[in-house]
Amino acid sequence: MHLNKMQMKKWGLFVFVTLLFITAQVGSQEMDHSKMNMDDTSTSEAAPDMKTEDNAMSVMRGKMIYDMSCFLCHGKNGEGDGPASRFIGPYSHPRPNRFTSGVFKFRSTESGELPMLTDLMRTIREGIPGYMPSFRNLGEDGIKDVALYITEAFIQEELPTTTTIKYAKHVGPYTYSAESAWRGGLLYKIMKCNECHGDDGKAGRMDLKDDRQIMVHPIDLTRQETFGNGTSHEDIYRTIMTGLDGTPMPGYADSFVGEEESAWDLVHFILSLQGR
Amino acid sequence: MRNFPLSTVVLLLISGVLLPLFFTDTAKAIPAFARKYDMSCTSCHTKPPRLNAFGEAFHMAGYQIPQTKEGELRKKRQIGRIHSEKEFLNIFAMRTTGNILESYSGGKPPESNIAFPREIELYFAGSFTDDISYFFNLSNESKTISGLENGKFEEKAEFGLGKEFFIMFNLAPAKKDMPHKKMGRPMMMGPMIMLGKIDPSTNFSYSTNRQFIIDNPGRVDSSGTIQRYTLTPYAFSAKFFGLSTGDGMAIEVTKSVLYNTPGDFGIDTHTMIGPFMIQAGIMQGISAGTSDVNEKKDPYLMTRMNFGGTNYFSGSVSGLVYWGNDTAKVGTELIDWLRYGFAGNVKYKLLDIYGAIIWDKISGLAASDAAQFDDTAMGLTLEADLLLTDQHLVSLRYDHMEAGGFNIQKANGRVLTLQVRKYLRDNFALFLRDSVNVGSVSDNPLQNFRNLVAAGIDFDF
């Protein structure tokens, strides 16, 4: 495009006004650092201690956020039938969760149980790679508001505040080592993880469906970006122990009773598949 | 560009387009802008470039996840309120699209072409701060039709500032405290202000800049006479035969103009209050020529209402009034141009139906032209897209134009287009289209074909 003099003048004016506006914006307000620099780990697992009257206000605030953003995928009634929901998983898993079903993939509680509030908050904060954005910039208060609204409006049951799953410490012989990963490799076959995820972890089975009868592919364990429930050591441990309700991935907490530490071996094997 | 026998073209079509449909791997997501948010393309798009409801909300919020300020500050550097991307690829995207093969029949002359994909666009989009976003676009079109003086045209390549090039400001008060301060009031987004080279129709229920069925380039002969107009959505097009820009350059009848311009200088403001959007702005005017010489500006007003939100259903209806103020010429006389119309969109599950009907009326004609110039025109475009599988998208579009302009030149157009897209990957599609002139075939450049078969690519990165 060739600009004549008149357009050059207009562009000059445009750039000038823009720079002026940006400068004014920067100078007139200060960053709310306390909200922007949130500590993921220090707050994420802290149990909420909300008073009832505060909860009512929090739920109202949560509804406002939900009705502006979350409903687009999860639907106004929490049925997972928002106007954008089918495009996320048009013909395959995942689809936005149906909160009213009481089935939640991402929990720290036993399979079949409801999640804790902190579980909901973690999912809202972290998002689900590939499918749900992180809403961490709502701030912890905003995240809690939304989680409380979802609980009250759609789940309509009291959420557990503790879990019976034993989260063994990641210490001693169960810190990452080649030996631990080797033991995990044996467990991987003994527990038949390879039947769905493949011997090489690259997800072979194509015949699985979730409880909504939608085709679901086991994740590729060699690609951490496909891990919907988080990629940290603890996230993978939690996923193994609790499973992903609503999908064919069961929880293995029962298999590790009394030997919870050895689940870390399996975690380390999975990490080794990713070269981590 | 070379001409080939139709049989050759058909053979190439089969070997180059159809065969891969049966021997391709499963589609895998390769996000473009989605890189930044760790999202798949289909979180925001039906398929690029068309937006689904989440994408519309994202766009409305200034390329940010609604209600979250800047969605991914973890990936940015911050200096005070200003943030910048750590990764260039988080703000950069590219799209190339166009026909590789095309064949016209039923007109004069029939022709078949092998062409390089017509359009390559580079995008830079993101946000400087929580409330200032940007969208810059550079484009190269290998073949476009431009107006010349005396009603002549030329085919040429164009490179430069693309269809859109703007800064967007979110003037929502105390955004960081929202929505806590808004309890009890209607939910509101914006006001947003777009300043620069903009396409205001991006907020219309049927936006000009998000087409699955791309414009098919027209044909100009060596004498500068147009043989065949560019095939565009007729609702958005100029519709009048015999118009020129303020500085005398001919305006192609099917060129998207006014509110539906692919990009013109102006300022736009839009606000969402509950389910209602109000949009108003001022544009420089027709972008067909090099400038709007009379310096008058064109105001417009658009309102839109969204509905739905459960049961996989959503939709919107929009109404538009645009006043082209001395915005073009008939002969040597500057004319005013009123454009008004409606658009609607309904999405249910994987079906997306949308359309627009736009009326145009010209006033201020010279007395000598008034008797021989039809000062009204109407364009209708209806489209339905269905995502048949993860990898197959079928589109059907009907375009209807009751043209205006000089009676001796004008003709009406009716075109029905069927297109199938095969997505080899989320961001890479092959398409095969067939556009049929369901009206009269004649030497008039609006009617100078019976059938157009084209195959091409649409690649986003």
Side-chain angles (χ1 to χ4, degrees):
Chain A
M1 193 183 78
H2 301 287
L3 299 179
N4 61 21
K5 284 184 180 176
M6 188 180 300
Q7 286 180 310
M8 290 289 283
K9 280 167 63 181
K10 285 174 181 171
W11 267 104
L13 184 63
F14 166 59
V15 171
F16 175 73
V17 169
T18 302
L19 291 175
L20 198 64
F21 195 96
I22 293 171
T23 307
Q25 288 277 315
V26 171
S28 64
Q29 297 180 39
E30 290 186 359
M31 186 72 135
D32 186 351
H33 289 283
S34 61
K35 284 191 176 179
M36 307 312 287
N37 298 323
M38 291 173 296
D39 183 339
D40 300 350
T41 53
S42 64
T43 57
S44 62
E45 302 300 332
D49 183 21
M50 299 287 289
K51 295 177 182 175
T52 307
E53 59 270 29
D54 290 340
N55 272 15
M57 291 297 290
S58 189
V59 166
M60 286 178 68
R61 290 193 298 265
K63 174 175 168 49
M64 296 196 72
I65 297 169
Y66 185 95
D67 285 350
M68 287 291 280
S69 195
C70 314
F71 90 94
L72 292 162
C73 295
H74 292 282
K76 286 188 173 171
N77 300 324
E79 294 282 355
D81 60 353
S85 62
R86 281 301 297 269
F87 297 104
I88 293 171
Y91 289 93
S92 60
H93 185 93
R95 297 257 179 90
N97 198 19
R98 294 159 59 181
F99 299 131
T100 53
S101 69
V103 178
F104 288 80
K105 280 202 293 188
F106 306 132
R107 296 160 292 98
S108 52
T109 55
E110 282 193 76
S111 181
E113 288 189 354
L114 290 172
M116 297 197 291
L117 189 68
T118 48
D119 292 328
L120 295 180
M121 291 173 64
R122 182 178 54 248
T123 306
I124 296 167
R125 184 189 307 109
E126 302 299 332
I128 303 170
Y131 304 102
M132 175 176 156
S134 158
F135 284 87
R136 67 178 48 241
N137 293 307
L138 285 173
E140 284 301 283
D141 289 343
I143 290 170
K144 188 185 288 180
D145 293 343
V146 176
L148 285 170
Y149 174 66
I150 291 169
T151 306
E152 178 155 321
F154 308 131
I155 302 175
Q156 298 181 339
E157 285 185 52
E158 195 165 333
L159 299 184
T161 54
T162 58
T163 176
T164 55
I165 301 278
K166 183 180 176 187
Y167 288 87
K169 289 187 177 174
H170 191 203
V171 293
Y174 299 103
T175 49
Y176 186 88
S177 66
E179 187 184 352
S180 174
W182 178 80
R183 290 196 303 265
L186 295 179
L187 278 176
Y188 184 80
K189 290 192 174 169
I190 292 169
M191 299 177 73
K192 300 183 178 177
C193 307
N194 56 333
E195 287 192 358
C196 291
H197 292 284
D199 288 339
D200 57 0
K202 291 187 176 176
R205 282 186 71 168
M206 300 291 286
D207 59 342
L208 300 173
K209 291 187 175 179
D210 68 10
D211 63 357
R212 294 152 83 172
Q213 295 305 303
I214 302 165
M215 185 186 296
V216 55
H217 306 299
I219 62 166
D220 182 344
L221 296 176
T222 65
R223 294 172 59 219
Q224 62 169 313
E225 64 271 24
T226 65
F227 283 37
N229 199 16
T231 59
S232 71
H233 294 206
E234 290 73 19
D235 291 332
I236 298 170
Y237 183 98
R238 186 179 62 250
T239 306
I240 293 169
M241 298 300 265
T242 65
L244 301 172
D245 281 2
T247 78
M249 168 74 183
Y252 287 90
D254 290 345
S255 305
F256 287 103
V257 171
E259 298 178 9
E260 283 83 359
E261 293 84 354
S262 60
W264 286 114
D265 291 338
L266 194 51
V267 172
H268 296 150
F269 173 70
I270 292 168
L271 292 170
S272 72
L273 292 174
Q274 301 167 8
R276 288 206 282 164
Chain B
M1 190 169 283
R2 295 176 58 191
N3 290 339
F4 288 84
L6 184 61
S7 56
T8 306
V9 172
V10 170
L11 188 64
L12 286 168
L13 271 175
I14 292 171
S15 60
V17 177
L18 296 181
L19 288 182
L21 302 187
F22 301 101
F23 297 102
T24 50
D25 198 1
T26 307
K28 293 175 183 172
I30 303 176
F33 284 114
R35 280 185 285 268
K36 177 174 169 181
Y37 291 96
D38 289 333
M39 305 267 284
S40 64
C41 303
T42 53
S43 300
C44 284
H45 295 281
T46 307
K47 288 284 185 184
R50 182 142 179 87
L51 296 176
N52 62 34
F54 190 86
E56 288 179 354
F58 178 83
H59 177 261
M60 173 69 203
Y63 306 108
Q64 300 187 37
I65 303 294
Q67 296 297 310
T68 68
K69 304 182 187 175
E70 171 54 49
E72 275 299 349
L73 285 173
R74 283 178 297 182
K75 296 183 178 179
K76 302 185 99 176
R77 293 187 189 89
Q78 290 181 244
I79 307 169
R81 290 192 66 246
I82 296 180
H83 27 83
S84 66
E85 296 291 340
K86 292 175 185 169
E87 299 289 338
F88 175 70
L89 286 179
N90 287 340
I91 62 166
F92 171 76
M94 184 191 83
R95 183 184 186 207
T96 180
T97 185
N99 295 342
I100 295 174
L101 305 161
E102 61 187 28
S103 175
Y104 282 95
S105 59
K108 294 177 182 176
E111 62 176 315
S112 300
N113 301 312
I114 292 179
F116 186 76
R118 193 167 68 102
E119 193 165 339
I120 298 174
E121 293 185 281
L122 305 179
Y123 302 95
F124 307 87
S127 56
F128 295 125
T129 72
D130 290 346
D131 34 30
I132 304 176
S133 310
Y134 56 91
F135 187 101
F136 301 148
N137 170 217
L138 292 171
S139 75
N140 180 69
E141 288 192 65
S142 60
K143 180 185 175 187
T144 186
I145 291 181
S146 293
L148 299 172
E149 293 180 348
N150 303 320
K152 298 293 185 184
F153 294 87
E154 65 174 346
E155 291 178 12
K156 65 176 187 179
E158 278 191 352
F159 174 76
L161 297 180
K163 294 171 181 173
E164 293 181 88
F165 203 91
F166 60 84
I167 302 281
M168 178 153 39
F169 304 97
N170 184 350
L171 301 186
K175 193 182 174 194
K176 66 183 177 184
D177 295 323
M178 293 168 67
H180 307 252
K181 286 193 173 179
K182 300 199 308 177
M183 291 176 66
R185 287 188 260 163
M187 287 173 290
M188 181 171 164
M189 286 175 76
M192 314 293 290
I193 290 183
M194 290 196 294
L195 179 65
K197 197 164 186 271
I198 58 177
D199 178 352
S201 81
T202 193
N203 290 308
F204 207 37
S205 292
Y206 186 6
S207 58
T208 314
N209 58 357
R210 301 197 179 276
Q211 301 289 321
F212 279 132
I213 299 172
I214 61 173
D215 297 350
N216 209 72
R219 174 82 184 272
V220 176
D221 68 15
S222 55
S223 69
T225 302
I226 199 156
Q227 297 290 312
R228 194 175 286 125
Y229 285 125
T230 305
L231 197 50
T232 62
Y234 286 168
F236 310 146
S237 60
K239 307 185 193 75
F240 289 100
F241 285 75
L243 284 188
S244 58
T245 61
D247 50 0
M249 302 298 181
I251 298 174
E252 192 181 1
V253 171
T254 56
K255 186 177 183 68
S256 294
V257 294
L258 305 183
Y259 179 77
N260 304 100
T261 176
D264 197 2
F265 292 96
I267 181 168
D268 173 281
T269 178
H270 51 276
T271 307
M272 201 95 205
I273 304 171
F276 299 100
M277 177 188 282
I278 300 170
Q279 180 191 35
I282 297 172
M283 301 291 286
Q284 177 176 277
I286 297 277
S287 60
T290 53
S291 68
D292 182 14
V293 291
N294 64 10
E295 290 287 308
K296 288 190 177 176
K297 303 297 175 241
D298 299 354
Y300 60 85
L301 176 69
M302 189 278 284
T303 59
R304 166 176 163 162
M305 187 184 79
N306 292 345
F307 50 85
T310 61
N311 197 25
Y312 310 105
F313 176 77
S314 68
S316 66
V317 290
S318 306
L320 161 75
V321 178
Y322 182 106
W323 178 247
N325 196 1
D326 276 2
T327 204
K329 278 181 176 174
V330 174
T332 57
E333 198 73 24
L334 284 165
I335 51 95
D336 295 326
W337 189 339
L338 173 65
R339 168 166 284 194
Y340 56 99
F342 302 96
N345 175 210
V346 174
K347 294 184 178 80
Y348 176 65
K349 292 188 175 176
L350 302 174
L351 176 65
D352 190 359
I353 300 174
Y354 43 104
I357 181 166
I358 304 286
W359 291 273
D360 296 81
K361 180 165 178 58
I362 277 174
S363 57
L365 290 165
S368 56
D369 292 329
Q372 52 188 327
F373 193 95
D374 182 351
D375 59 3
T376 59
M378 183 276 286
L380 168 72
T381 294
L382 292 173
E383 181 161 348
D385 305 317
L386 177 62
L387 201 55
L388 275 178
T389 73
D390 280 331
Q391 299 175 45
H392 298 90
L393 179 86
V394 178
S395 300
L396 183 67
R397 191 175 87 192
Y398 175 67
D399 290 293
H400 184 108
M401 186 196 300
E402 299 284 339
F406 285 109
N407 294 325
I408 197 168
Q409 293 178 304
K410 79 183 184 89
N412 298 328
R414 289 189 289 154
V415 178
L416 185 66
T417 300
L418 176 66
Q419 177 175 275
V420 178
R421 281 179 167 231
K422 164 74 178 181
Y423 286 86
L424 304 182
R425 293 177 179 273
D426 266 3
N427 62 336
F428 181 41
L430 303 173
F431 64 79
L432 180 63
R433 72 183 272 184
D434 189 1
S435 293
V436 181
N437 173 7
V438 293
S440 305
V441 176
S442 73
D443 290 341
N444 187 293
L446 193 65
Q447 301 176 334
N448 193 6
F449 75 102
R450 172 58 77 195
N451 199 56
L452 160 67
V453 177
I457 65 165
D458 189 344
F459 172 66
D460 301 277
F461 174 75

